[in-house]
Amino acid sequence: MIDLKTRIDRFSDQQRMIQESAASFFSDAGNYKRIRERRGIAPGYDQSVWKAMADLGWLGFWLPEKYDGMGLGFAEASLLLEQGGRALAPEPLISAALMAGGAILHGDNEGLKAECLPRLMAGDWKPALAWQEAESSQQTESSSVTAVAQSGGFALTGSKYFIPAAEGADAFVVAARTPSGTALFLVDKGSAGTVIETHPRVDGGFFGTLKLAGVRVSASRCVASPGMGRAVLDRVLDEGRLAASAELLGVMSRALEISVAYIRQREQFGRPIGSFQALQHRAVDLFILVELSRSVLAHGAAVFDASPDPARRAVAASQAKARCSDAALKVAKGCVQLHGGIGYTDECDIGLFLKKSMVLATWLGSAAHHRRRYGELVAEAV
Amino acid sequence: MIDLKTRIDRFSDQQRMIQESAASFFSDAGNYKRIRERRGIAPGYDQSVWKAMADLGWLGFWLPEKYDGMGLGFAEASLLLEQGGRALAPEPLISAALMAGGAILHGDNEGLKAECLPRLMAGDWKPALAWQEAESSQQTESSSVTAVAQSGGFALTGSKYFIPAAEGADAFVVAARTPSGTALFLVDKGSAGTVIETHPRVDGGFFGTLKLAGVRVSASRCVASPGMGRAVLDRVLDEGRLAASAELLGVMSRALEISVAYIRQREQFGRPIGSFQALQHRAVDLFILVELSRSVLAHGAAVFDASPDPARRAVAASQAKARCSDAALKVAKGCVQLHGGIGYTDECDIGLFLKKSMVLATWLGSAAHHRRRYGELVAEAV
Amino acid sequence: MDEQAFRLEVRQWIKENFPEEWRFPPHRLSLRQTETWQRKLYEKGWSAPNWPKEYGGMGLTAYQQISFQQAFDAHGINIAPNMAVTMLGPLLIRYGTEAQKQYYLPRILSGEIRWCQGYSEPGAGSDLAGLRTSAVLQGDHFIVNGQKIWTSYAHEADMIFMLVRTDKEAKKQEGISFLLGDMKAPGITIRRIKNLTGSSEFCEVFFDNVKIPKENIVGQLNQGWTMAKSLLGSERITIGSPRVAKYPLQLLGKLAKERGLMENPEFRAQYDALRLDVADLDATFVRFAEVLRRGEELGPEVSLLKIWITETYQRVTDLMIEITGEAAVLDEMLVLADGAQVHPANHYFASRPASIYGGTNEIQRNILAKAILELPG
Amino acid sequence: MDEQAFRLEVRQWIKENFPEEWRFPPHRLSLRQTETWQRKLYEKGWSAPNWPKEYGGMGLTAYQQISFQQAFDAHGINIAPNMAVTMLGPLLIRYGTEAQKQYYLPRILSGEIRWCQGYSEPGAGSDLAGLRTSAVLQGDHFIVNGQKIWTSYAHEADMIFMLVRTDKEAKKQEGISFLLGDMKAPGITIRRIKNLTGSSEFCEVFFDNVKIPKENIVGQLNQGWTMAKSLLGSERITIGSPRVAKYPLQLLGKLAKERGLMENPEFRAQYDALRLDVADLDATFVRFAEVLRRGEELGPEVSLLKIWITETYQRVTDLMIEITGEAAVLDEMLVLADGAQVHPANHYFASRPASIYGGTNEIQRNILAKAILELPG
């Protein structure tokens, strides 16, 4: 199978380098055997791989150089994330580093930035972002979780759901409602009044629920001041959506490669099944979805790199997440079908891709959600 | 192509007879050349064919024997109508006879029944049903067309749209709002205060608009008394939907036959294009839609023949119309594609099937409308 | 008894007899797991709705079988189909010796002998006629060597009905026979295959010089393919049964109701379309089942049921995943208000191979194209 | 000039110069019909956005071409594409002799010579290389005999660029040449073909001993297939241009707005999905157009644009028909509030052959399967 990316797209030297080093890193980290073995085991990823990523500076791929980060543009970062997707890497680069870390970066607490960001980059400390208050909701104005002012700080009460990498997190960036609007707070793991429940996911990872019962947070642990939280959340969520789209692209493109290779060699009726026109056309339809996803991601990265304007980024993020979520599920399902019976067995790698696609496609808003959001955001040309 | 109807279904002697005589009648009436030649010429169908149908007693296929009708069950009638669909026959068997005539039959004016039904059956007089008040609306409680009581009668005002075979109709059965609910009135063609506009349709037929400006109708021309009109309309509309489904089945099954025959003989790359798996599978998908339609129609006819219960009939009519409308459009479009470039030319018959499908699929409620209606009518088993 | 009364009786009896804790189960239950219930059905005379009365079946018409089955579905009964009832029984009735009928049919009904099916092989999936498991007649026994795959519940079965190659020289289809083997026979090894839902209904079965008595052949030597085809017909009508999609559709409805989606026009458009897809399949199923009731055989046309229902089933689980949001990717049961348990992801996974088993849907479309549309090869 | 300023200039200029009565026309307008406008474009230097500046083109980048085109679409300009600009020009620039470039390129730009394209034949549609129209060199002329079909606007054209068979003995692809012929030459007969919309853009062109001067060959004798393929590439990127679906999408939006459907969630789900299908194609188109801008050729991968946009286009017109209700089956213009006219049925019809022209979508999928996915034959 010819890679259209190498066939028609052109990359800078830096981009090629990032791509190659990521590909080789993930292949060194172990093949799908590693993924298989870690399934269902807390925290849902390899601490050693995380550390190795830190050594390469990747945990700060999104951080500006003034914080010693790599300060990659999204065009470059998405190449890195795509490789992670191809490898089905479970490490929480997006949720912990880009999103939870990003919330600290884009907040207004310089003290916390100085304290947390270097530790995060070093791989010694991991935050998780606890923002979601209801299933299928992408609402960033906190409502059910409240922060009530108390002497020198706040008391947080309520529950946050679907937190990736909650197991293994050292602290939570929690969004909560104050009378002046949403604020973000840093709540350390094990703080009095917190309970963490973890729920196993089909891909072998976990979602956490964080329950807060009057949890005391001092004012100095306020990541983003009241009223500012929503904008910070919107920013990191849209960045997360674009990043998740890049991972999805990696997942689907690798799934298709594996499947095309399979139908080239699997024989029935005395010939490779990939010689049957019906399977060829099915594979082509999946290929088209992969390439649309690649295009939309490139477009999204260009928009993000051109401007921090939240309105333009929201459109680009929804466009990318809508296509990549939809395409990844269709591609993964189609690939299972291309594999025939063996595709339904746990022994066959293709199922890992389906499960990963489901998780990423659903997380941060489904395709349907983002089509709706795009529809609301973009005035018709009519 | 093997006909699944003859392969797995079984028919009574009477059913076989009806089927065969209808097939031979429509083939005698002229092939698609006749359809082609009548396109765009008022009234949109052949008066001579209509007369010939009358001679066979078909105009009363739906009329009970006490009115000298054939009194066919829907299981039988749908076989007749299916043949009409296969022939793309434009004669208004459904709209004029079954529906407008049926409105008179199911109304409460015995005088009108005695006066009109024999003339209708004889082919000497044709009514049209004027009930629809807005595009895409299947509302049977009249609202914008009103009947105001006047000495010894009513004055009708308002407009009715999308009346099939309005050209050529001798009278209109008009639904209008009275203070006691919807009533039906018989308005003769050319009555003072009426204007008929005709609009050409893509299939070469016409839809009429009937404009009424204080049209005087005597009480003796009231087809269904105030308050009764809606139930009569609902009945004939659901009968019309089932009947239109039968026609749609005929249209799509013949379109598929023609197309399968075409791809068997058309050669490209030195072999019949019907030997390519992609086209085979496309044809199979259309075949499945045809057979689903046939099943749902048989089911609907059985429901109608078992009971006059409007609630059960409404469900069966919507189920049939939803499937047959959707299937016919998909089949006709797919058949155009199977024909390649030639399918887009006016010279090729397949386009006639697409156009007929569009008209029948849209008339009396689209697939989407009837899926919605079915959803509202049938309580979930949950 | 009129149909309405019978329907009510069935519902009532199920309600009184089916163990409450098995309703809407997280995974499909096996026949072994539900032995007490199978026994009750047997004692009631309800083991084999599709068999003629003379063989202890209920002799129901097609319509009646469907409405009978609906009562089970509606009650949240989800038990693996008894393939000995749906497939082996009708085949024995038609092709079996008197002795085979006398011995096996009552034991199928009573559940005394549980069966599994040995058709597919690693190299013979869609190309079933390419099977290579061999049976060589030596004295009074066939000696069987080879491997079967996708054998559901082999680990719970007493016997296997299977296709074997008895003539290696003949053309693919002409050297195949149909045997009944004892699963406890020496030389049989079973390996369970874990699937995407984490359960292991499927097995691989290995045969290493396994002896099967020669009287355990059904039909004539080397004539197994004809029967296999007829059996595939029955299998396709089983796989094509509307219930395949009805059960998940019902769960979809429950999930949607809890999520307040019944008034959401976007959801309703999809949901009602699916309900009609299933209802229309019902109407189609009736036409096909009528053929069987008339005592005739179904031909290649049955493939259309299989295609339609399996693809509908997949659309149902697609929508189920979509409306369940993040909870859809949890490997956990969702407990609904009425106590029913749903694992949306597992339904989603389980629907995937539906378009593969019993001949992939591509194969089914090839069959229809050639045998019904008579398109050239 | 920066892009934003240029965009504004374009919009302004179109607004001031495009005849109001031609906006959102009932049928696509032809180049001849819009001659005055073509002239204005030429004088402005805007005839050929895709050509290099040295040949009188605008030398726009891919991004710029798209945004340039958008301004036209948004204004409701619907004119048949100038295939001499999109296809012939780039081919002449690459393969033409100096004399051909000097003579034809300026005349393409100015519109002095209008062109049609002679590729397909009744027996050579998808199998284009099977073409049989022959050209035999006799002295200074080729003598052409045969028939072309689907030649758009042949009746309005001054010249034709065409593929002919110049070696009957060679393998299919190796005996084809590329000629430029005069449509007024003796021996040419044109028959217009009415299509489902009732209009007759397409023609059949019959050649009966038609003389074409031998210097009118482009490229080498019998080397036409290479160029044809490259041309097919350009054709596919033209057919794959997002505007194919954008214009009807815009009309769909107008219709929906008038029908109050913008707040209808069921409609919106479909409409927004279509908008994204087009937006994502935009993003994909940019990647492909970049290749051309780099001066490289597009290969078989361009088929994906063609498949996606034509099938999106059909989904747009499907929805257009659905929301227009009974009015959708009238053979009449609907006049919208802003004066735009729409004939939904004709858009529906016109979208059907989109998946056929320029190689059916089945052929495009075969190409991708073999050339890109490298699946076996």
Side-chain angles (χ1 to χ4, degrees):
Chain A
M1 171 171 172
I2 295 175
D3 189 346
L4 214 54
K5 183 167 69 167
T6 56
R7 191 176 166 99
I8 71 168
D9 300 328
R10 292 292 171 267
F11 298 96
S12 68
D13 288 344
Q14 188 203 11
Q15 289 172 330
R16 250 196 313 278
M17 219 179 60
I18 287 168
Q19 200 155 237
E20 282 158 20
S21 72
S24 112
F25 174 83
F26 286 115
S27 111
D28 289 347
N31 51 20
Y32 306 120
K33 195 160 163 285
R34 159 173 105 97
I35 309 306
R36 229 171 247 296
E37 285 165 359
R38 305 300 301 181
R39 289 188 294 176
I41 298 170
Y45 56 89
D46 280 348
Q47 185 56 38
S48 62
V49 173
W50 185 255
K51 253 313 213 182
M53 288 177 164
D55 293 343
L56 288 168
W58 287 0
L59 304 187
F61 76 87
W62 50 281
L63 260 181
E65 286 169 20
K66 85 174 216 208
Y67 290 98
D68 292 326
M70 291 170 76
L72 292 188
F74 282 89
E76 287 72 32
S78 54
L79 295 172
L80 170 62
L81 295 163
E82 183 188 343
Q83 294 302 322
R86 290 174 64 87
L88 301 176
E91 284 68 31
L93 255 188
I94 300 178
S95 66
L98 176 66
M99 294 177 68
I104 297 169
L105 175 69
H106 303 303
D108 57 352
N109 188 328
E110 298 304 322
L112 278 182
K113 292 183 202 182
E115 174 195 332
C116 299
L117 296 177
R119 290 169 64 209
L120 166 57
M121 261 187 56
D124 295 331
W125 178 87
K126 261 192 304 297
L129 188 62
W131 66 280
Q132 196 171 355
E133 299 189 346
E135 180 190 301
S136 297
S137 162
Q138 297 291 305
Q139 180 56 46
T140 47
E141 194 74 87
S142 283
S143 63
S144 73
V145 172
T146 55
V148 178
Q150 286 189 345
S151 53
F154 296 84
L156 271 56
T157 301
S159 295
K160 292 287 182 178
Y161 301 92
F162 306 113
I163 308 166
E167 285 273 356
D170 300 291
F172 296 87
V173 177
V174 179
R177 177 164 60 88
T178 76
S180 330
T182 300
L184 304 181
F185 301 92
L186 195 64
V187 176
D188 288 327
K189 180 184 170 181
S191 297
T194 59
V195 176
I196 300 168
E197 282 172 6
T198 50
H199 299 270
R201 290 187 319 228
V202 291
D203 66 338
F206 301 88
F207 271 142
T209 300
L210 174 66
K211 298 190 171 179
L212 305 141
V215 176
R216 232 4 230 115
V217 186
S218 86
S220 68
R221 312 297 283 175
C222 180
V223 170
S225 305
M228 180 190 190
R230 186 172 182 185
V232 171
L233 272 185
D234 283 337
R235 173 164 190 165
V236 296
L237 256 56
D238 276 329
E239 292 182 351
R241 285 166 186 137
L242 191 74
S245 301
E247 262 198 47
L248 281 162
L249 173 63
V251 174
M252 67 178 110
S253 61
R254 183 71 190 132
L256 182 60
E257 281 172 22
I258 290 175
S259 306
V260 166
Y262 180 77
I263 63 173
R264 281 168 61 92
Q265 57 88 1
R266 163 80 176 168
E267 296 201 354
Q268 289 279 277
F269 306 101
R271 48 193 268 212
I273 60 174
S275 67
F276 290 101
Q277 199 184 27
L279 291 202
Q280 292 189 344
H281 286 197
R282 181 188 292 263
V284 164
D285 286 337
L286 306 181
F287 167 75
I288 293 175
L289 291 174
V290 171
E291 289 304 325
L292 282 177
S293 301
R294 192 183 301 287
S295 308
V296 96
L297 185 68
H299 170 74
V303 169
F304 270 63
D305 286 339
S307 156
D309 173 13
R312 295 183 58 190
R313 284 181 159 206
V315 171
S318 280
Q319 184 178 355
K321 188 66 170 54
R323 175 63 60 194
C324 293
S325 297
D326 183 68
L329 283 177
K330 286 185 177 141
V331 170
K333 284 188 294 184
C335 286
V336 168
Q337 176 80 14
L338 289 175
H339 274 77
I342 203 77
Y344 184 49
T345 65
D346 186 64
E347 293 159 31
C348 179
D349 285 338
I350 201 67
L352 302 176
F353 287 82
L354 176 60
K355 291 174 171 183
K356 186 77 173 185
S357 297
M358 287 166 71
V359 171
L360 287 173
T362 308
W363 183 48
L364 300 175
S366 68
H369 171 85
H370 285 291
R371 284 193 297 260
R372 231 170 0 248
R373 183 171 180 240
Y374 177 90
E376 284 158 13
L377 291 171
V378 182
E380 304 106 52
V382 179
Chain B
M1 173 172 172
I2 295 175
D3 189 346
L4 215 52
K5 183 167 69 166
T6 56
R7 191 178 167 99
I8 72 168
D9 300 328
R10 291 291 171 269
F11 298 98
S12 68
D13 289 345
Q14 189 204 13
Q15 289 171 331
R16 252 196 312 276
M17 220 180 61
I18 288 168
Q19 201 156 234
E20 282 160 19
S21 72
S24 112
F25 174 84
F26 286 116
S27 112
D28 288 348
N31 50 19
Y32 306 119
K33 194 160 163 283
R34 158 174 105 95
I35 309 306
R36 229 171 246 297
E37 285 166 0
R38 306 297 305 180
R39 290 187 294 176
I41 298 172
Y45 56 89
D46 279 348
Q47 185 56 39
S48 61
V49 172
W50 185 255
K51 254 310 214 184
M53 286 177 165
D55 294 342
L56 288 168
W58 287 0
L59 304 188
F61 76 85
W62 49 282
L63 259 180
E65 286 169 21
K66 85 174 217 208
Y67 290 99
D68 292 326
M70 291 171 77
L72 293 188
F74 281 91
E76 287 71 32
S78 54
L79 296 172
L80 170 62
L81 295 162
E82 184 188 342
Q83 294 302 323
R86 290 173 64 86
L88 302 176
E91 284 69 32
L93 255 187
I94 300 178
S95 67
L98 176 67
M99 294 178 67
I104 297 170
L105 174 70
H106 302 302
D108 57 352
N109 188 328
E110 297 304 323
L112 278 183
K113 291 183 202 181
E115 173 195 333
C116 299
L117 296 178
R119 291 168 63 209
L120 166 57
M121 261 187 55
D124 296 331
W125 178 85
K126 260 191 305 296
L129 188 63
W131 67 280
Q132 196 170 356
E133 300 188 347
E135 180 190 301
S136 297
S137 163
Q138 297 290 305
Q139 179 57 45
T140 47
E141 195 75 87
S142 282
S143 63
S144 72
V145 173
T146 55
V148 177
Q150 284 189 346
S151 53
F154 296 84
L156 272 54
T157 300
S159 296
K160 293 287 183 178
Y161 301 93
F162 307 113
I163 308 167
E167 285 274 355
D170 300 292
F172 295 87
V173 175
V174 179
R177 178 163 60 88
T178 76
S180 330
T182 300
L184 304 180
F185 301 92
L186 195 64
V187 176
D188 288 328
K189 181 183 168 181
S191 297
T194 60
V195 175
I196 300 167
E197 284 173 2
T198 52
H199 300 271
R201 291 190 316 231
V202 291
D203 66 340
F206 301 89
F207 271 140
T209 300
L210 174 65
K211 298 191 169 176
L212 305 142
V215 177
R216 243 341 241 121
V217 186
S218 87
S220 68
R221 311 298 281 175
C222 180
V223 170
S225 308
M228 181 188 188
R230 187 174 181 185
V232 172
L233 272 185
D234 282 337
R235 172 163 190 164
V236 296
L237 257 56
D238 276 330
E239 291 182 351
R241 285 165 187 138
L242 192 73
S245 300
E247 262 197 48
L248 281 162
L249 173 63
V251 174
M252 68 178 108
S253 60
R254 182 74 190 127
L256 182 60
E257 281 172 25
I258 290 174
S259 306
V260 166
Y262 179 78
I263 64 172
R264 282 168 61 93
Q265 58 86 2
R266 164 80 174 167
E267 295 199 355
Q268 288 280 277
F269 306 102
R271 48 191 270 209
I273 60 174
S275 67
F276 290 101
Q277 199 184 28
L279 292 201
Q280 292 189 345
H281 285 198
R282 181 187 292 263
V284 164
D285 286 337
L286 305 180
F287 166 74
I288 292 175
L289 291 174
V290 171
E291 289 304 325
L292 282 177
S293 301
R294 192 182 301 287
S295 308
V296 96
L297 186 68
H299 170 73
V303 169
F304 271 62
D305 287 338
S307 158
D309 173 14
R312 295 183 59 189
R313 284 181 161 207
V315 171
S318 279
Q319 185 179 355
K321 188 65 168 55
R323 175 64 59 194
C324 293
S325 297
D326 183 69
L329 284 176
K330 285 185 177 141
V331 170
K333 284 187 295 184
C335 285
V336 168
Q337 177 80 14
L338 288 175
H339 274 78
I342 203 79
Y344 184 50
T345 66
D346 187 63
E347 295 160 30
C348 179
D349 285 337
I350 202 66
L352 302 176
F353 287 82
L354 176 60
K355 291 174 172 183
K356 185 77 174 186
S357 298
M358 288 167 70
V359 171
L360 288 173
T362 308
W363 183 48
L364 299 175
S366 68
H369 171 84
H370 285 291
R371 283 192 296 261
R372 231 173 357 251
R373 184 172 181 239
Y374 177 91
E376 284 158 11
L377 291 171
V378 182
E380 306 106 50
V382 180
Chain C
M1 193 184 314
D2 85 343
E3 307 225 343
Q4 178 66 15
F6 179 64
R7 198 156 37 227
L8 287 175
E9 186 201 323
V10 172
R11 284 179 198 271
Q12 188 59 29
W13 188 84
I14 290 175
K15 210 170 148 189
E16 286 164 8
N17 288 278
F18 192 76
E20 193 62 27
E21 65 274 22
W22 290 349
R23 294 183 63 195
F24 295 103
H27 288 93
R28 186 159 83 159
L29 304 172
S30 77
L31 293 168
R32 275 280 181 248
Q33 282 176 293
T34 56
E35 219 151 17
T36 53
W37 165 246
Q38 304 299 329
R39 191 82 209 160
K40 276 189 195 164
L41 276 174
Y42 169 61
E43 280 158 8
K44 183 77 181 168
W46 286 0
S47 293
N50 58 326
W51 293 12
K53 282 192 176 157
E54 59 203 287
Y55 293 106
M58 298 172 75
L60 297 187
T61 67
Y63 274 99
Q64 290 166 335
Q65 283 181 45
I66 291 171
S67 102
F68 186 70
Q69 184 58 52
Q70 268 174 347
F72 287 67
D73 295 340
H75 198 67
I77 299 182
N78 188 16
I79 300 173
N82 188 333
M83 281 187 288
V85 166
T86 55
M87 297 172 60
L88 179 59
L91 191 120
L92 284 175
I93 290 171
R94 175 127 188 223
Y95 297 103
T97 61
E98 210 39 49
Q100 286 170 339
K101 289 189 219 180
Q102 296 256 337
Y103 184 78
Y104 291 115
L105 294 178
R107 288 172 176 79
I108 291 173
L109 284 180
S110 69
E112 185 186 330
I113 303 179
R114 295 280 173 217
W115 295 80
C116 63
Q117 179 211 45
Y119 276 25
S120 298
E121 299 181 6
S126 293
D127 182 14
L128 182 57
L131 62 89
R132 285 184 301 192
T133 294
S134 68
V136 178
L137 194 56
Q138 287 187 0
D140 287 346
H141 289 87
F142 288 99
I143 307 299
V144 179
N145 280 288
Q147 178 189 356
K148 294 290 174 183
I149 195 170
W150 314 130
T151 307
S152 301
Y153 298 107
H155 58 293
E156 294 190 353
D158 305 304
M159 292 195 72
I160 183 168
F161 55 95
M162 66 189 298
L163 292 172
V164 291
R165 183 158 303 283
T166 38
D167 183 349
K168 289 189 185 175
E169 309 305 317
K171 274 204 290 177
K172 257 164 113 180
Q173 282 87 345
E174 289 166 14
I176 292 173
S177 301
F178 191 98
L179 298 185
L180 310 177
D182 185 340
M183 287 298 283
K184 272 137 215 126
I188 289 186
T189 317
I190 296 167
R191 192 178 78 88
R192 297 179 69 178
I193 306 171
K194 195 161 147 189
N195 66 33
L196 294 186
T197 71
S199 87
S200 308
E201 287 184 18
F202 296 123
C203 302
E204 286 181 288
V205 185
F206 299 88
F207 296 83
D208 181 13
N209 287 317
V210 175
K211 286 166 88 173
I212 294 184
K214 76 173 182 189
E215 64 269 23
N216 279 19
I217 190 169
V218 182
Q220 301 299 306
L221 190 71
N222 295 333
Q223 297 301 308
W225 185 249
T226 322
M227 295 183 295
K229 273 208 312 194
S230 129
L231 219 67
L232 281 178
S234 340
E235 184 180 25
R236 253 168 243 149
I237 200 170
T238 311
I239 300 186
S241 156
R243 67 181 300 246
V244 171
K246 267 185 194 165
Y247 183 79
L249 182 66
Q250 210 176 342
L251 293 175
L252 171 62
K254 284 174 187 280
L255 280 165
K257 210 165 222 173
E258 290 218 340
R259 279 160 176 71
L261 290 170
M262 285 303 181
E263 309 306 315
N264 176 313
E266 188 185 341
F267 170 76
R268 278 311 289 258
Q270 299 175 77
Y271 178 61
D272 290 332
L274 289 171
R275 290 170 71 201
L276 279 164
D277 285 345
V278 173
D280 293 2
L281 197 268
D282 256 348
T284 308
F285 186 75
V286 162
R287 285 172 68 204
F288 282 80
E290 263 313 292
V291 177
L292 296 178
R293 202 188 55 81
R294 288 197 305 264
E296 299 167 17
E297 285 215 29
L298 282 169
E301 60 275 4
V302 76
S303 293
L304 89 77
L305 290 181
K306 201 257 166 175
I307 294 171
W308 186 258
I309 195 63
T310 54
E311 294 176 5
T312 300
Y313 177 23
Q314 292 175 346
R315 289 194 295 273
V316 169
T317 62
D318 284 353
L319 187 54
M320 193 186 276
I321 287 293
E322 189 176 318
I323 66 163
T324 317
E326 294 83 355
V329 305
L330 296 181
D331 192 9
E332 285 184 341
M333 290 292 150
L334 304 182
V335 181
L336 303 181
D338 66 357
Q341 296 186 47
V342 199
H343 192 306
N346 280 354
H347 284 283
Y348 186 72
F349 297 139
S351 69
R352 295 302 127 208
S355 52
I356 295 166
Y357 300 149
T360 65
N361 286 12
E362 284 81 14
I363 298 289
Q364 311 293 342
R365 286 185 166 90
N366 288 348
I367 292 172
L368 290 171
K370 306 258 157 65
I372 303 293
L373 302 186
E374 297 182 311
L375 287 167
Chain D
M1 192 185 312
D2 85 344
E3 307 225 343
Q4 179 65 14
F6 179 63
R7 196 153 42 226
L8 286 175
E9 186 200 324
V10 172
R11 285 179 196 270
Q12 188 58 30
W13 187 82
I14 289 175
K15 210 171 148 190
E16 286 165 8
N17 289 277
F18 192 77
E20 193 61 27
E21 65 275 21
W22 289 349
R23 294 182 63 194
F24 295 103
H27 288 94
R28 186 160 83 160
L29 303 171
S30 77
L31 294 167
R32 275 281 180 248
Q33 281 175 294
T34 55
E35 220 151 19
T36 52
W37 165 246
Q38 304 300 329
R39 190 85 208 157
K40 277 190 195 162
L41 275 174
Y42 169 63
E43 281 158 7
K44 183 77 182 168
W46 287 359
S47 293
N50 58 325
W51 294 13
K53 282 192 176 156
E54 59 202 287
Y55 293 105
M58 296 170 76
L60 297 187
T61 67
Y63 275 98
Q64 289 167 335
Q65 283 180 45
I66 290 170
S67 103
F68 186 69
Q69 184 57 52
Q70 268 174 348
F72 288 67
D73 295 339
H75 199 67
I77 300 182
N78 187 16
I79 300 172
N82 189 332
M83 282 186 290
V85 166
T86 56
M87 297 172 60
L88 180 59
L91 190 120
L92 285 175
I93 290 170
R94 175 128 185 223
Y95 298 102
T97 61
E98 210 40 50
Q100 286 170 340
K101 290 189 218 181
Q102 297 253 338
Y103 184 77
Y104 291 115
L105 294 178
R107 288 172 177 79
I108 291 172
L109 284 179
S110 70
E112 184 187 330
I113 303 179
R114 294 280 174 217
W115 295 80
C116 64
Q117 178 213 45
Y119 275 24
S120 298
E121 300 182 5
S126 292
D127 181 16
L128 181 58
L131 63 88
R132 286 184 301 195
T133 294
S134 68
V136 178
L137 194 57
Q138 287 186 0
D140 287 346
H141 288 86
F142 288 99
I143 309 299
V144 179
N145 280 287
Q147 178 190 355
K148 293 290 175 184
I149 195 169
W150 315 129
T151 307
S152 302
Y153 299 106
H155 58 291
E156 294 191 351
D158 305 305
M159 291 194 74
I160 183 168
F161 56 95
M162 65 190 297
L163 292 172
V164 291
R165 183 158 303 283
T166 38
D167 184 348
K168 288 189 187 178
E169 310 304 317
K171 274 201 290 177
K172 258 163 111 180
Q173 282 87 343
E174 290 167 13
I176 293 172
S177 300
F178 191 100
L179 298 185
L180 310 176
D182 186 338
M183 287 297 284
K184 272 135 214 128
I188 287 187
T189 317
I190 295 168
R191 193 178 78 87
R192 296 180 69 179
I193 306 171
K194 195 162 144 188
N195 65 34
L196 294 185
T197 71
S199 89
S200 308
E201 287 184 19
F202 296 123
C203 302
E204 285 179 289
V205 185
F206 299 88
F207 297 84
D208 180 15
N209 287 317
V210 175
K211 286 166 89 172
I212 294 183
K214 75 173 183 188
E215 63 268 24
N216 278 19
I217 189 168
V218 182
Q220 301 300 306
L221 190 71
N222 296 332
Q223 297 302 307
W225 185 248
T226 321
M227 294 183 297
K229 274 208 312 193
S230 129
L231 219 68
L232 281 178
S234 339
E235 184 180 26
R236 254 167 244 150
I237 201 169
T238 313
I239 300 186
S241 156
R243 66 180 300 246
V244 172
K246 266 184 195 166
Y247 182 78
L249 182 66
Q250 209 175 344
L251 293 175
L252 171 63
K254 282 174 188 281
L255 280 166
K257 211 165 222 171
E258 291 219 338
R259 279 160 176 72
L261 289 170
M262 285 302 182
E263 309 305 316
N264 176 313
E266 188 184 340
F267 170 76
R268 278 311 288 259
Q270 299 174 76
Y271 177 61
D272 290 332
L274 289 172
R275 290 171 71 200
L276 279 164
D277 286 344
V278 174
D280 294 2
L281 197 268
D282 255 347
T284 308
F285 187 76
V286 162
R287 286 171 68 202
F288 282 81
E290 263 313 294
V291 176
L292 296 177
R293 201 189 55 82
R294 287 197 305 262
E296 300 167 17
E297 285 215 29
L298 281 169
E301 61 274 4
V302 76
S303 293
L304 89 77
L305 289 181
K306 200 256 169 178
I307 293 172
W308 186 258
I309 196 62
T310 55
E311 295 176 6
T312 300
Y313 177 23
Q314 292 175 345
R315 289 193 297 274
V316 169
T317 63
D318 284 353
L319 187 55
M320 192 187 275
I321 288 294
E322 188 177 319
I323 67 162
T324 317
E326 294 83 355
V329 305
L330 296 181
D331 191 10
E332 284 183 343
M333 289 292 150
L334 304 183
V335 181
L336 302 180
D338 65 356
Q341 296 186 47
V342 199
H343 192 305
N346 280 354
H347 283 282
Y348 186 71
F349 297 137
S351 69
R352 296 303 127 204
S355 52
I356 294 166
Y357 300 151
T360 65
N361 286 12
E362 284 80 16
I363 299 288
Q364 310 293 341
R365 286 187 166 88
N366 289 346
I367 292 171
L368 290 171
K370 305 258 157 64
I372 303 293
L373 301 186
E374 297 182 312
L375 287 168

